[in-house]
Amino acid sequence: MLRVEEAARALGIGRSLTYDLIRSGQLRSFKVGSRRLIPAAAIDEVITTLTEEAA
């Protein structure tokens, strides 16, 4: 599980864009208390999706 900041770093994007991806449903996440967490597998999924969209 990654925090939003860690996911942003892994994707090479900013925190705001990471939240945009979460809001749009492109990046899976869930809340535990007040923390938003992203499964590590979701990083690979969003990379694959964005790569396919760009092709």
Side-chain angles (χ1 to χ4, degrees), residues 6-46:
E6 294 169 326
R9 202 170 322 129
L11 290 167
I13 60 176
R15 206 170 67 100
S16 296
L17 184 52
T18 304
Y19 277 112
D20 288 345
L21 291 172
I22 291 169
R23 273 191 291 280
S24 71
Q26 292 181 285
L27 181 59
R28 289 187 299 119
S29 70
F30 59 93
K31 288 191 83 168
V32 176
S34 63
R35 296 180 71 187
R36 177 142 319 260
L37 298 174
I38 294 103
I43 301 296
D44 293 332
E45 291 168 8
V46 78

